[in-house]
């Protein structure tokens, strides 16, 4: 296949529209580009991984570290081979300080496994910690940040309404545990079915994080079109975390290959109101969603704040009362002196 430099999802457009409508859309986009909603994308090479992966895993100057059973070939980075009980990961060495970004992942999952005997899948990470082996698709549990999982095996027995492979997202503040036996359902923010195994065409997913909105889209049908998978507003992720990807096999196995990771910086304008609402955060959270640990502490913090306000108000009243009393006494004394 010809090596075509793919652009970010926004440049490519999400879905193809009929020709007439497309013309209108082009005009709308041209007009729109002069308005306030101006968006630009830049590929950030320091957070991207592409062929032929020069120096990855061998050079100390490489931007990427590998661990576990990773195999680097000129064509792909194999996180795990199609063998039992393997795990592998590749992590960016540079923390990412971008506010708005988009990560495009070109991947391939394939194996000899007969129907339904494949697993376990792979994860894309944007987390505080890196290079830590663990039970969540080969990486550590109770992570801080974002995990996007491409889960190829249904572990939960009751699987009536859900078809696997399944893509889901999770944001954790370090206190959430990924429930492997339930395929992460208790903690997922959203997800979709994605038939991504053993395909002859290229498969892509994109994680977009713009103005605190997390969206995931897939291009897995070989039609060069993005299809929505999940869309969650109010996702607050700190800056300075690391991108990485990891995979694991158990009794069931697959080749989990990463062809490329491309990170785009998204430049987007914010209104003063948006700017006010979009303050820098230091612990990951999702609006209107109670994550254990953080919400409890913020609640007790606000209770404590109320206590302080009441306490100092009372103290102020008492103080004012004492002053008034002293002044009154002095005044009385003076008037008594005048009287005599
Ligand atoms: Ca699973």
């Amino acid at each position: 296949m010809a090596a075509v430099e793919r652009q970010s999802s926004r440049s490519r457009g999400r879905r193809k529209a009929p020709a007439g409508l497309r013309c209108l859309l082009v005009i709308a986009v041209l007009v729109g580009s002069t308005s306030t909603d101006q968006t630009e994308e830049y590929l950030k090479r320091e957070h991207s991984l592409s062929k032929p992966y020069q120096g990855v895993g061998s050079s100390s100057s490489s931007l990427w570290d590998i661990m576990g059973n990773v195999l680097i070939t000129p064509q792909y980075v194999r996180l795990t081979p199609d063998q039992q009980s393997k795990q592998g990961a590749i992590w960016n060495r540079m923390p990412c300080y971008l506010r708005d970004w988009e990560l495009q992942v070109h991947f391939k999952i394939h194996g000899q496994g007969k129907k339904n005997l494949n697993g376990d899948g792979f994860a894309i990470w944007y987390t505080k910690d890196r290079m830590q082996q663990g039970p969540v698709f080969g990486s550590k549990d109770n992570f801080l940040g974002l995990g996007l999982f491409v889960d190829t095996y249904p572990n939960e027995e009751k699987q009536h309404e859900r078809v696997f492979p399944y893509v889901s997202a999770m944001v954790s503040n370090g206190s959430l545990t990924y429930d492997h036996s339930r395929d992460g359902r208790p903690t997922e923010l959203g997800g979709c079915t994605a038939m991504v195994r053993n395909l002859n065409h290229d498969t892509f997913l994109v994680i977009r994080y713009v103005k605190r909105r997390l969206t995931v889209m897939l291009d897995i049908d070989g039609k060069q079109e993005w299809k929505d998978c999940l869309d969650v507003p109010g996702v607050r992720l700190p800056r300075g975390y690391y991108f990485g990807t990891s995979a694991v096999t158990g009794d069931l196995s697959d080749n989990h290959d990463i062809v490329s990771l491309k990170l785009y910086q998204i430049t987007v304008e914010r209104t003063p109101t948006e700017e006010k609402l979009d303050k820098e955060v230091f612990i990951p959270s999702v609006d209107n969603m109670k994550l254990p640990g953080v919400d409890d502490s913020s609640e007790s913090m606000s209770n404590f704040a109320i206590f302080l306000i009441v306490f100092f108000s009372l103290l102020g009243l008492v103080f004012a009362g004492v002053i008034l009393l002293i002044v009154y006494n002095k005044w009385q004394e003076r008037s008594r002196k005048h009287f005599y």
Side-chain angles (χ1 to χ4, degrees):
M1 190 183 169
V4 178
E5 185 79 5
R6 293 167 66 94
Q7 294 167 310
S8 75
S9 68
R10 187 167 166 122
S11 314
R12 292 177 62 219
R14 289 159 80 131
R15 286 198 188 86
K16 277 181 191 147
L21 187 58
R22 243 181 287 165
C23 220
L24 280 176
L25 281 174
V26 167
I27 292 164
V29 166
L30 286 174
V31 170
S33 66
T34 57
S35 77
T36 50
D37 188 30
Q38 203 160 15
T39 311
E40 288 176 45
E41 303 98 2
Y42 305 95
L43 180 71
K44 304 302 277 187
R45 303 216 174 263
E46 64 269 36
H47 301 300
S48 297
L49 174 78
S50 56
K51 295 181 209 175
Y53 322 110
Q54 210 115 39
V56 172
S58 57
S59 161
S60 59
S61 63
S62 169
L63 291 162
W64 296 84
D65 282 321
I66 58 170
M67 62 187 288
N69 305 103
V70 169
L71 174 74
I72 313 278
T73 78
Q75 299 302 316
Y76 52 82
V77 173
R78 181 155 289 170
L79 299 175
T80 72
D82 188 6
Q83 291 164 22
Q84 291 184 330
S85 306
K86 301 286 181 190
Q87 55 184 338
I90 183 162
W91 285 92
N92 196 193
R93 276 188 191 160
M94 306 279 284
C96 177
Y97 289 99
L98 300 175
R99 218 170 161 194
D100 304 283
W101 47 263
E102 175 177 305
L103 181 68
Q104 216 174 96
V105 183
H106 183 182
F107 65 97
K108 189 172 176 67
I109 306 176
H110 56 115
Q112 298 299 312
K114 293 175 203 89
K115 219 179 176 190
N116 293 331
L117 287 173
N118 52 276
D120 278 283
F122 77 104
I124 307 289
W125 301 103
Y126 174 70
T127 52
K128 186 170 192 268
D129 299 311
R130 62 192 283 282
M131 297 294 282
Q132 290 192 26
Q133 203 172 305
V136 189
F137 296 92
S139 196
K140 76 166 265 182
D141 205 349
N142 298 103
F143 57 89
L144 276 107
L146 167 72
L148 185 84
F149 312 124
V150 180
D151 188 347
T152 51
Y153 184 75
N155 293 81
E156 190 167 39
E157 277 171 30
K158 289 176 247 151
Q159 293 288 351
H160 303 301
E161 75 279 19
R162 188 168 284 190
V163 178
F164 277 70
Y166 197 84
V167 176
S168 67
M170 170 176 171
V171 166
S172 174
N173 56 20
S175 65
L176 285 185
T177 304
Y178 177 83
D179 189 346
H180 182 68
S181 64
R182 296 201 59 203
D183 304 300
R185 270 191 218 209
T187 51
E188 74 176 26
L189 291 176
C192 69
T193 292
M195 308 312 283
V196 290
R197 289 190 64 249
N198 290 337
L199 297 172
N200 288 322
H201 53 258
D202 291 336
T203 45
F204 302 86
L205 68 84
V206 66
I207 304 170
R208 216 176 139 80
Y209 183 62
V210 176
K211 290 185 180 178
R212 303 292 190 206
R213 188 175 205 103
L214 176 74
T215 47
V216 174
M217 292 180 282
L218 305 169
D219 173 0
I220 55 172
D221 300 325
K223 292 177 185 164
Q224 292 262 311
E225 280 175 31
W226 291 115
K227 285 193 175 157
D228 296 336
C229 177
L230 62 93
D231 185 350
V232 188
V235 175
R236 296 174 191 276
L237 297 171
R239 296 193 291 168
Y241 280 13
Y242 296 95
F243 287 106
T245 173
S246 67
V248 72
T249 66
D251 292 338
L252 321 155
S253 67
D254 257 332
N255 296 300
H256 296 101
D257 299 345
I258 299 294
V259 181
S260 67
L261 298 171
K262 285 182 181 165
L263 188 86
Y264 294 89
Q265 175 180 9
I266 310 283
T267 312
V268 61
E269 280 180 24
R270 283 173 169 78
T271 63
T273 321
E274 284 175 327
E275 201 67 60
K276 212 178 256 179
L277 290 169
D278 192 356
K279 294 236 174 68
E280 176 114 45
V281 294
F282 301 97
I283 291 175
S285 68
V286 182
D287 293 357
N288 307 319
M289 191 182 164
K290 209 177 158 86
L291 299 184
V294 158
D295 278 3
D296 291 345
S297 71
S298 70
E299 222 165 77
S300 59
M301 269 303 286
S302 66
N303 283 344
F304 185 61
I306 290 167
F307 165 77
L308 283 181
I309 289 165
V310 171
F311 178 77
F312 281 109
S313 305
L314 283 175
L315 202 69
L317 276 176
V318 169
F319 191 67
V322 168
I323 299 257
L324 273 176
L325 206 67
I326 290 170
V327 168
Y328 178 72
N329 278 345
K330 285 248 158 128
W331 176 77
Q332 239 186 1
E333 226 170 275
R334 211 179 281 173
S335 55
R336 227 179 287 142
K337 273 181 195 160
H338 270 281
F339 191 74
Y340 288 114

